[in-house]
Amino acid sequence: MSSSLNNQFDDQMAVLNNYYPDIYTQVVSVQGSEMKPRRRRKNNKGESSSGFRKRKLTDEQVNMLELHFQNEHKLDSERKDRLAAELGLDPRQVAVWFQNRRTRYKSKKLEEEYSRLKSEHGNAVFEKCQLQTEVLKLKERLSETEREMQKLLEKSNGASSNSPSSSFSAEIMEPPFLGGFGMEGLESVFCATENIYDTHGMGYWNNFYDM
DNA sequence: ACGACATACCGCTTACATCA
DNA sequence: CTGATGTAAGCGGTATGTCG
């Protein structure tokens, strides 16, 4: 632990002591006398639950542990022993609490990350759909323009009967515009996704991912 | 360098307390 | 009373440091 962190921690402890002046003596008197931690469950046949009652840590103990955890997620042996003495707990209980707390922290972080990625993915899908729709519209415009050009060519060919057939006219007669872009069969997908967004908005997709 | 041992940590699981 | 949920703690495995 760095010295600045130590100072920060000492400040926090001072504040806590201000709010809970007799926290340590209370905790020690309650837990130190009769709540000795003991091991249980040697195996899963129910051998050793001899009168054991699981004790919940007091709010003050949890607050203190939480304070230490915010300061540093891992314990060195010295800090563990000192904290255990301060809280009237077994050092092993402190270690276990920190381990469980790290697990909770990790799973919470994972959930947050999952939500963030889910949201990003939803936005990306939405954007992709918009872009695909745009591509379709542009292809339609291109097709229309090409048809008009074809008409103009036919007109001019009719006016001068001896005009040569150009390679250009042959090219523009090729019908499958979408095929050239590898977009075969996607028209219905575009329409479907577009309709879904139009009808339901992004909330629909968020619910969809929650399934 | 190497193996034995201790220690800390992690993931998974169990058992208990609490609450709706 | 009961099932769901939160959490303290047990257990086995792994990584790392120390010592002879």
Side-chain angles (χ1 to χ4, degrees):
Chain A
M1 195 189 298
S2 72
S3 63
S4 67
L5 279 177
N6 262 330
N7 291 338
Q8 183 192 355
F9 175 71
D10 288 339
D11 289 347
Q12 290 172 333
M13 296 301 282
V15 169
L16 205 82
N17 269 325
N18 193 34
Y19 284 109
Y20 304 102
D22 52 354
I23 175 175
Y24 299 141
T25 53
Q26 279 180 0
V27 168
V28 169
S29 65
V30 169
Q31 294 248 333
S33 55
E34 54 180 355
M35 302 290 257
K36 281 259 175 147
R38 63 192 95 155
R39 294 174 83 82
R40 52 175 184 141
R41 185 161 58 95
K42 204 66 183 170
N43 56 29
N44 58 5
K45 305 293 181 193
E47 281 183 43
S48 78
S49 1
S50 52
F52 169 80
R53 293 180 66 78
K54 185 164 121 180
R55 65 253 151 234
K56 211 164 150 46
L57 301 181
T58 66
D59 290 346
E60 288 83 0
Q61 286 171 323
V62 171
N63 288 340
M64 286 293 294
L65 289 163
E66 199 63 53
L67 199 59
H68 281 257
F69 183 80
Q70 300 309 325
N71 194 43
E72 173 76 51
H73 289 192
K74 294 216 175 183
L75 281 172
D76 56 53
S77 156
E78 186 190 345
R79 192 157 77 108
K80 179 176 68 182
D81 290 342
R82 197 183 68 203
L83 189 53
E86 286 172 355
L87 297 179
L89 294 171
D90 189 273
R92 175 167 173 76
Q93 284 180 285
V94 175
V96 165
W97 188 90
F98 264 75
Q99 182 52 53
N100 286 326
R101 186 64 182 81
R102 281 193 294 272
T103 302
R104 289 195 292 274
Y105 178 79
K106 186 177 175 183
S107 79
K108 187 185 165 204
K109 283 287 165 195
L110 275 173
E111 275 188 27
E112 287 172 0
E113 180 71 358
Y114 170 73
S115 297
R116 190 183 64 76
L117 290 171
K118 191 175 76 174
S119 165
E120 276 183 18
H121 180 254
N123 290 338
V125 167
F126 181 70
E127 195 175 342
K128 179 189 171 204
C129 209
Q130 284 180 319
L131 290 170
Q132 286 176 331
T133 304
E134 181 86 5
V135 167
L136 263 191
K137 284 176 182 168
L138 290 170
K139 285 176 187 302
E140 280 171 16
R141 276 184 59 191
L142 179 62
S143 170
E144 202 173 313
T145 305
E146 285 176 331
R147 275 195 300 272
E148 283 174 11
M149 287 181 68
Q150 181 64 26
K151 281 181 192 168
L152 287 173
L153 270 176
E154 283 168 359
K155 269 189 188 173
S156 67
N157 283 347
S160 61
S161 58
N162 60 347
S163 95
S165 63
S166 70
S167 61
F168 174 68
S169 65
E171 275 177 19
I172 61 174
M173 282 301 287
E174 288 178 9
F177 299 106
L178 291 175
F181 290 85
M183 308 284 276
E184 303 93 322
L186 285 178
E187 299 91 317
S188 60
V189 173
F190 293 173
C191 292
T193 51
E194 191 175 25
N195 285 342
I196 283 170
Y197 281 113
D198 287 347
T199 309
H200 304 283
M202 284 303 289
Y204 173 87
W205 290 98
N206 288 331
N207 291 336
F208 174 78
Y209 288 118
D210 278 330
M211 288 187 219

